[in-house]
Amino acid sequence: MARKLPKVDVVIVGVGWGGGIIASELTKQGLTVVGLERGKERKTEDYFMVHDELRYALRYEMMQDLSKETITFRSNTNVRALPMRSYGSFLMGTGLGGAGVHWNGHTFRFLPYDFEIRSKTIERYGEKKIPEGMTLQDWGITYDELEPYFDKFEQMAGISGAENPLGGKRSKPYPTPPMKMTPSMKLFEEAAKKLNLHPYPLPSANLSEAYTNPDGISRAACQYCGFCERFGCEYGAKADPVVTVIPVAKKTGKFEIRTHSHVRRILHTGNKATGVLYTDVTTGEEIEQPADIVVLTSYVFNNARLLLLSKLGRPYDPNTGKGVIGKNYCYQVMRGGATGFFEDREFNNYAGAGALGMVLDDYNGDNFDHSNLNFLHGANISVSQYGQRPIANNTVPEGTPSWGKEFKAASLKYANRTINVGAQGASLPFRHHFLDLDPTYKDVFGDPLMRITFDFEEQDRQLAAFMSEKCGEIAREMGASKVEVRGKLGPYDITPYQSTHNTGGVIMGASPETSAVNNYLQMWDVENVFVVGASAFAHNSGYNPTGTMGALSYRAAEGILKYHKSGGILV
Amino acid sequence: MAESNNKYEQPVSRRHFLKNTGLVLGGLVVGGVAGSLLRRPEAPQQPGAAPAPAADYNQALMYFSPEQFKVVEAACERIFPEDELGPGAKALGAAYFIDHQLAGDWGFNAREYMQGPFYPGEATQGYQGRLKRREIFDIGIQELNNYSQSTYGKRFYEITPEQQDAVLKAFETDEVKLTAVSASAFFKMLRASTIEGIYADPLYGGNKNMDGWRLKNFPGNQMTYTQVIEQDKFVKMEPLSLRDHQH
């Protein structure tokens, strides 16, 4: 029998961006909140030795221990799903702050088009434009409705940027000015302007100058040290939950964080949750935490998995298209791009920041005419200067052997002579892309792993090919001596790293028939459960997800406060 | 070392750097790592005080047998050979790096999902074998020697560099057939870990004296690039290691 603890107002499962935002907003209003985090405590002092490419980038110091839990993957239902035994395609975070600690800090707002994608696509091109099997849906909220929450996230995190000329309307400018301009960013800006495109500085959570946010939290400016994505920030400059929202929640005295606490089930009777059951992984003890409201704020996979394991909500069935938990799993199309080799110029590529770059949205969303194209949506195109680290940075021209004297010479020569123009493509939902429980493989507790059924489609191949050409044009205009445009998009392969932008599975929408949560991220079927995260995305845009995920978290916090007061379904 | 330092600009001292950046907010130093860095600068080394180089007692084998080590060291050197551009994998200690890595978590696949059932999967599903990395290396090294013996009548580290290249090529292209793991999968792992051994922080046993970083003009572990980031000209600086950070 599990040990039962006294009831609290709210229990949060996972303390990353979602959990931290919910905790800070709720405790400020006097609610008592317990945050259960299965990983360990994290703090800025942990990163004294962080400039260690091997430990953090290659050995995944910040990531979930796959020996305890992973996911399984298959390209379609005719293939046996097999476990992702080691990391590749995406990296699942763990510990206090979650993936919000090891992120790069790219903080975009999805486009107005995204939130009404089905309606707007039909309006402009007719319903036939949506290919067979594509389960494109509106999100049940508009950009204008979400705008105040975007602003709230940006003010809290101190986002550094300048207005996107092709983005949605803003109520306020970014709270801090753009990051510094590097020579490669200038080249990109000039080239894009010559091509009549609309470049703007990548909105960055790295912080261009010292900043005090509306909660009174002060952070120092980015030092461009070049160790950002996959690393924690030794300066607390990069906005992460541990240096922003969590201390605000803690200061109220109303927030209790329990690390090493692995939530295994949401407990429920009738159509209401009563709390959660978790295991203290340091002792193995099972503990029940009753609560009036349960908020799932873990990563995409675990949000969906906990609902399925707890038998909450209606599981998605790809054969009938009915059910919602596990539906519309999407990813990101990263294959579009081009590499420019500069024979006569060296760049300080070793320096950089996670979110330092120039971007443009001329080929993103529906900012360009798709009438004669065989794909929908698009990609954000960018040049970023992350800081090239030497183990990973071995770009050599095509045809160079991958080892030996020639490889050595080329990898040394081009270490600081290449610039990558990349496209981050949207990933749209299909009826046969989904999440469910694996019938064979189990985690360390004996619970089924999450199973991903996903592949790239013609939509994605067309998108990648189109974007590669556009990236190539820009790279040539930038004056590269040689430009290599990336090849065709093959099948989805779980082994090379692509992006940790997994989305969907517990999607939001206007109707319980087609979505799991409403636009406060409240479950249609279980009114006192809120599911917060990119799991709510009905598709993934041509952007990094955190800005939109953060906005939705603030929206959900408002919903939870409303629900705490008056109960009932909020929409 | 001390001499070559003078060729480059001295890196910004931590104290100076902290004072001149946003890290000091309204007279208060931001806590955490930055705060703990505000220590007294070290006394400069006395010229001529350097002792004669002694044996490096920190360098010995943790996993490989001496025979295995010779094979790996020779193979690494072909992957990244010494030439007019500078040292190769052998001089940089890449084989020691690999030995040390195999002795620990990585060699045991400790943080990876190694539970059954095991099925051969599609290539897009990734590695599905039951062998751990140290076992793959054991097999691969043995087979490098076997193939060299059967082709050239000598062990891998006894044949000529050209012959070694031919052997490695045969592994890379799966011309060599192994059981339990493919020759190309072993080669890929050997290549990747050689690169790691050249460029990982010296604390792991490779990248000797940070000379791997110098090949690429990579400055290692620097606290800040705020003075560099906007510059049009390439800024070359003497690298710093994590050891420098600690002392």
Side-chain angles (χ1 to χ4, degrees):
Chain A
M1 264 304 274
R3 179 162 60 100
K4 195 168 177 175
L5 299 174
K7 192 163 99 170
V8 294
D9 292 330
V10 178
V11 65
I12 283 175
V13 182
V15 188
W17 269 130
I21 289 169
I22 301 289
S24 71
E25 293 303 291
L26 268 44
T27 52
K28 279 192 237 170
Q29 301 302 319
L31 275 63
T32 56
V33 179
V34 164
L36 299 174
E37 167 54 51
R38 66 181 177 183
K40 63 178 183 182
E41 169 89 25
R42 288 195 195 284
K43 49 195 182 309
T44 302
E45 289 88 330
D46 295 343
Y47 311 122
F48 189 79
M49 287 286 143
V50 80
H51 291 175
D52 186 338
E53 184 185 11
L54 185 78
R55 176 178 170 190
Y56 287 88
L58 280 300
R59 300 289 183 264
Y60 311 115
E61 172 76 20
M62 312 283 292
M63 311 309 168
Q64 183 181 309
D65 180 347
L66 296 182
S67 73
K68 299 195 166 81
E69 184 189 327
T70 183
I71 52 89
T72 69
F73 159 69
R74 58 182 178 173
S75 51
N76 63 68
T77 52
N78 297 322
V79 174
R80 187 202 311 266
L82 293 174
M84 179 175 81
R85 295 190 179 277
S86 46
Y87 276 115
S89 181
F90 48 83
L91 305 172
M92 300 175 288
T94 189
L96 199 65
V101 178
H102 77 251
W103 73 317
N104 256 335
H106 298 202
T107 313
F108 292 97
R109 299 173 168 203
F110 281 11
L111 295 162
Y113 169 72
D114 281 307
F115 301 100
E116 300 168 87
I117 189 166
R118 185 177 183 86
S119 309
K120 289 190 179 218
T121 301
I122 292 172
E123 192 182 301
R124 186 166 176 185
Y125 307 107
E127 193 157 4
K128 282 195 182 140
K129 184 74 181 170
I130 301 171
E132 174 67 26
M134 186 189 279
T135 47
L136 208 59
Q137 282 183 209
D138 292 353
W139 289 37
I141 197 164
T142 63
Y143 173 85
D144 289 343
E145 288 171 301
L146 204 52
E147 201 284 335
Y149 309 99
F150 275 121
D151 182 60
K152 204 157 182 192
F153 183 76
E154 289 167 359
Q155 301 294 329
M156 176 275 294
I159 303 306
S160 307
E163 185 157 352
N164 173 6
L166 301 175
K169 265 193 209 135
R170 303 178 56 88
S171 57
K172 271 189 221 155
Y174 285 105
T176 55
M179 302 282 284
K180 292 179 191 284
M181 281 284 268
T182 71
S184 60
M185 287 160 66
K186 280 185 198 153
L187 282 181
F188 178 87
E189 185 184 36
E190 285 157 18
K193 282 185 173 163
K194 270 189 213 156
L195 295 167
N196 294 316
L197 303 170
H198 300 81
Y200 65 101
L202 196 169
S204 172
N206 300 157
L207 214 49
S208 58
E209 62 181 28
Y211 176 68
T212 301
N213 79 6
D215 291 317
I217 296 282
S218 293
R219 285 158 42 225
C222 176
Q223 297 302 312
Y224 303 88
C225 75
F227 289 81
C228 204
E229 186 176 28
R230 305 191 185 192
F231 304 84
C233 183
E234 72 203 288
Y235 300 110
K238 173 167 69 174
D240 86 38
V242 177
V243 298
T244 54
V245 285
I246 292 172
V248 172
K250 274 183 167 170
K251 209 177 150 195
T252 64
K254 299 274 185 184
F255 186 40
E256 186 192 339
I257 299 172
R258 293 183 205 140
T259 52
H260 304 287
S261 300
H262 190 122
V263 176
R264 298 184 47 210
R265 293 292 184 279
I266 305 157
L267 304 170
H268 52 98
T269 51
N271 51 6
K272 274 202 182 174
T274 55
V276 298
L277 177 75
Y278 69 95
T279 301
D280 176 341
V281 297
T282 64
T283 61
E285 189 186 13
E286 292 200 341
I287 302 169
E288 184 182 336
Q289 176 61 66
D292 287 330
I293 300 170
V294 174
V295 189
L296 303 191
T297 47
S298 56
Y299 196 59
V300 166
F301 299 118
N302 219 41
N303 279 357
R305 180 167 177 254
L306 258 180
L307 292 173
L308 292 171
L309 286 174
S310 309
K311 301 195 187 319
L312 266 192
R314 292 152 290 141
Y316 175 68
D317 180 350
N319 296 313
T320 61
K322 296 225 161 73
V324 285
I325 310 300
K327 182 180 168 177
N328 279 25
Y329 171 73
C330 293
Y331 191 45
Q332 199 94 69
V333 180
M334 301 300 291
R335 189 68 188 164
T339 304
F341 294 86
F342 292 76
E343 293 293 328
D344 310 320
R345 192 164 174 188
E346 276 191 286
F347 301 89
N348 294 306
N349 279 349
Y350 54 79
L356 176 67
M358 288 298 285
V359 298
L360 54 87
D361 286 322
D362 296 76
Y363 305 110
N364 207 352
D366 203 29
N367 289 343
F368 59 115
D369 186 12
H370 290 73
S371 298
N372 297 316
L373 298 171
N374 288 321
F375 64 93
L376 290 170
H377 213 304
N380 175 273
I381 290 179
S382 66
V383 153
S384 289
Q385 191 164 337
Y386 302 105
Q388 291 275 24
R389 295 175 292 268
I391 299 173
N393 172 26
N394 285 291
T395 307
V396 292
E398 269 167 30
T400 309
S402 70
W403 56 281
K405 188 173 163 59
E406 268 185 79
F407 166 76
K408 180 182 177 184
S411 66
L412 301 185
K413 176 179 173 185
Y414 291 107
N416 294 298
R417 291 175 196 270
T418 60
I419 295 177
N420 183 46
V421 181
Q424 174 159 252
S427 171
L428 302 183
F430 284 85
R431 185 164 157 168
H432 51 284
H433 297 170
F434 63 101
L435 304 174
D436 67 354
L437 295 175
D438 190 276
T440 308
Y441 292 96
K442 309 271 193 276
D443 72 3
V444 74
F445 300 107
D447 286 328
L449 299 181
M450 185 96 284
R451 174 169 65 177
I452 302 174
T453 306
F454 179 79
D455 204 352
F456 289 131
E457 302 286 334
E458 190 54 23
Q459 147 81 25
D460 306 309
R461 282 184 274 277
Q462 296 274 344
L463 186 152
F466 179 90
M467 296 303 160
S468 293
E469 286 309 313
K470 298 296 175 194
C471 291
E473 274 174 35
I474 297 170
R476 276 184 283 273
E477 191 65 43
M478 285 170 71
S481 334
K482 182 176 188 253
V483 173
E484 284 178 10
V485 170
R486 280 208 250 307
K488 283 191 180 117
L489 181 72
Y492 174 62
D493 182 344
I494 203 155
T495 58
Y497 183 78
Q498 289 154 72
S499 165
T500 305
H501 300 164
N502 317 80
T503 65
V506 195
I507 64 170
M508 61 191 292
S511 154
E513 286 305 302
T514 53
S515 61
V517 294
N518 63 29
N519 65 23
Y520 286 102
L521 309 191
Q522 177 186 34
M523 275 186 87
W524 292 112
D525 297 341
V526 195
E527 64 177 46
N528 67 338
V529 175
F530 291 74
V531 188
V532 179
S535 53
F537 292 9
H539 70 269
N540 197 14
S541 184
Y543 286 122
N544 306 63
T546 304
T548 300
M549 183 268 168
L552 288 173
S553 303
Y554 276 105
R555 167 87 181 168
E558 195 181 294
I560 295 165
L561 288 168
K562 275 190 191 180
Y563 177 79
H564 180 69
K565 224 175 237 174
S566 47
I569 288 287
L570 297 165
V571 176
Chain B
M1 269 298 295
E3 255 185 33
S4 65
N5 262 331
N6 299 335
K7 285 192 288 191
Y8 304 95
E9 262 189 352
Q10 280 293 330
V12 189
S13 86
R14 286 172 197 134
R15 172 178 290 267
H16 176 79
F17 142 78
L18 287 166
K19 278 186 182 157
N20 289 292
T21 61
L23 281 167
V24 181
L25 295 165
L28 280 174
V29 176
V30 178
V33 176
S36 66
L37 289 170
L38 275 178
R39 283 188 277 143
R40 286 155 61 83
E42 287 164 50
Q45 277 203 331
Q46 294 299 313
D56 183 354
Y57 294 108
N58 292 109
Q59 193 180 65
L61 295 179
M62 296 178 186
Y63 177 69
F64 289 141
S65 69
E67 173 75 10
Q68 287 179 312
F69 182 77
K70 281 186 204 166
V71 174
V72 171
E73 192 174 51
C76 290
E77 181 65 12
R78 294 317 301 156
I79 289 169
F80 200 86
E82 180 150 357
D83 59 12
E84 67 285 358
L85 297 172
K90 182 176 176 177
L92 292 168
Y96 279 104
F97 167 88
I98 296 173
D99 170 74
H100 298 354
Q101 288 292 304
L102 289 173
D105 274 7
W106 187 75
F108 284 104
N109 300 50
R111 296 180 72 234
E112 286 159 26
Y113 192 82
M114 296 302 281
Q115 293 179 45
F118 294 91
Y119 297 104
E122 317 253 322
T124 57
Q125 291 175 304
Y127 177 66
Q128 293 296 335
R130 55 186 87 213
L131 294 177
K132 293 171 179 161
R133 289 190 184 89
R134 44 169 50 197
E135 296 163 332
I136 294 175
F137 264 89
D138 286 348
I139 293 169
I141 294 165
Q142 179 71 49
E143 295 298 328
L144 280 173
N145 262 349
N146 288 349
Y147 187 80
S148 302
Q149 279 289 2
S150 63
T151 315
Y152 304 105
K154 287 177 185 171
R155 286 173 288 197
F156 181 79
Y157 54 87
E158 294 164 337
I159 57 180
T160 67
E162 291 72 26
Q163 290 169 335
Q164 288 173 341
D165 286 353
V167 172
L168 291 173
K169 193 87 199 160
F171 274 67
E172 188 190 18
T173 55
D174 275 327
E175 201 187 301
V176 179
K177 302 291 176 211
L178 307 184
T179 48
V181 63
S182 70
S184 61
F186 164 66
F187 179 81
K188 222 172 148 183
M189 196 179 289
L190 178 67
R191 178 201 175 269
S193 52
T194 302
I195 302 280
E196 289 174 355
I198 292 161
Y199 296 121
D201 190 279
L203 80 88
Y204 295 101
N207 187 13
K208 204 168 172 62
N209 298 322
M210 301 187 276
D211 286 339
W213 287 344
R214 285 190 184 88
L215 288 172
K216 258 187 186 169
N217 290 318
F218 181 73
N221 162 44
Q222 304 283 336
M223 295 203 56
T224 180
Y225 291 123
T226 50
Q227 312 302 316
V228 169
I229 194 77
E230 293 167 304
Q231 285 198 36
D232 274 319
K233 282 197 101 172
F234 187 74
V235 181
K236 201 167 162 176
M237 55 180 95
E238 178 63 8
L240 291 171
S241 72
L242 286 168
R243 170 98 187 159
D244 294 315
H245 205 50
Q246 202 180 339
H247 290 265

